[in-house]
Amino acid sequence: MQWFKSAVDWLCNPPILFTLIFIVFFLAYLWKKLTWLWTPRACVVIFLAGGLFVAYGLTDPNFRAIVTKPDNVPIVGMLFLTGFFSWLSMYLGTRNDARIGKNLPPEEKLESEIKILVWPDLVYTEFLCMILWSVLLIIWSIYLKAPIEEPANPAKTPNPSKAPWYFLGLQEMLVYYDPWIAGVLLPGLIIVGLMALPYIDPNKKGNGYYTFAERKWEILTFQFGYLVLWVMMIITGTFFRGPNQNFFGPFERWDVHKVVPLSNINLSEVFWVKMLNLGLPGNWLVREGLGIILVLAYFTVIPMFLGRTLFKRFFEKMGMVRFQILMFLLLCMVSLPIKMYLRWLFNMHYVVAIPEYFFNI
Amino acid sequence: MPDDPKASAARSPAPAAPAAGEGVTRRGFFSWIGVAWISFSGAMGVASVSTLRFFFPNVLFEPPQTFNAGFPEEYIPGQVDNRFKESFGVFMVRDDSSIYAIKAVCTHLGCTPNWLEAEFKFKCPCHGSGFYITGINFEGPAPRPLERYRIVLADDGQIVVDKTKIYREEKGEWKDPEAFIAA
Ligand code: FES
């Protein structure tokens, strides 16, 4: 089975893994031939496969060490839950879509007409859930020790140093961005952007019932940001980042001395030194001119272009201001994978690098 | 206390008029409340002041900002010396022509980098920034080189590292005569 392990390790190299996930994601949601994914049978098959994979992986010492770490056990559970609920929403959505196609009301409409008593029906259910969860938590706390380490010491940073799991997405962003952007700007934009959603998208379809066909674009955008970026980055940070923040496959030994050549290069160096053979200009504005122009163009030309072509309908429906806000948020989100690929494929350090003023993009 | 219950009832339809003879007047009641409020606010005030006081500890166990780092001969050329990393957060480095003191704080987000002898580089365990022995950043997200502390020779020939002054490469400050010791 060594070939299988090597194959998985190779696939889990982030450039390959993320590319695969992008493809799988869009195919699963958009390719008509794959709608069987949203049936209970497919769900059972996928979960069995996932469970088998984990079970097999547990026979490998390296895989076991990562997955059964008390920190990581809940993440494994969460992955299955995230997968299940993403599937469930699509399953219910496609079922409703079929009903709506036949001019029937969505299932939730029928349900809403059934009367259920709070007492005893709801309260009993809640009571049972409470007892079962308490039992689970107690057993969990007995069998998995809290991952407590030696007293903190500023001179001794554990290697690798990892944030709590829910921050690993942020930590992963920090690998590609300046702390100001990855730690302040982007998280702020995520929150502001989520709050702005109801104003950007006043579409009333899908209120109170599951649907996919009626809100394809919205669901796709959200799930892209959530599943493909956020959850995938938590997975990467948890399972694939080893000592010195190097990438490791799940079956690979965490070798502290693994050497990965990662010499980074700024866009300004590529442009002035490699292409023009001139050496870096002393003035930072001249030096970073190209990068600044590129970033500005990214945020102005692309929305203008898309508004005329691909997103013409959105542009007309939403009006200038709303469309610009939407495009800005969207471009910020997409800038993350762009930056990741630039780093992986070209070792690009920063597109705009002005360390004199702590400003790097 | 109004003697006539009818009159008091006419003024205010209090549902629970105090029973006769209990001795609580309106004025008396308010003065008690006043005392209670004043003492309550006083207690809260004292509590907040003493909470604020916590921000200014009596003793501060901070290592001194300037320290003696021994004689230049103690350092081997081409090596990074870790002996002051724990106590002062400083890497002492000697190369062919100079000795300098690198601040052991990553310029990305402030973790403490490690010196990897075998790979011959500083590597930060938080987001993987790497630095050459000079402190110049070459991999990972750190936007600028590690900073250096002021370093001078005292009269007795010992090295003194002064952490109050910092030299940054991107500002061209490493050429400053106090950013290194010629050795
Ligand atoms: S703090 Fe050192 S790489 Fe982020």
Side-chain angles (χ1 to χ4, degrees), chain B residues 10-29:
Chain B
R11 256 186 280 127
S12 65
E22 224 175 73
V24 180
T25 60
R26 176 178 296 233
R27 179 164 300 170
F29 175 74

Side-chain angles (χ1 to χ4, degrees), chain A residues 166-184:
Chain A
Y166 43 84
F167 277 150
L168 279 178
L170 275 184
Q171 189 173 5
E172 201 49 33
M173 295 208 295
L174 278 163
V175 174
Y176 307 101
Y177 276 114
D178 189 75
W180 265 107
I181 296 187
V184 182

Side-chain angles (χ1 to χ4, degrees), chain B residues 106 108-111 124 126-129 141:
Chain B
C106 181
H108 179 231
L109 215 55
C111 290
C124 181
C126 288
H127 315 94
S129 288

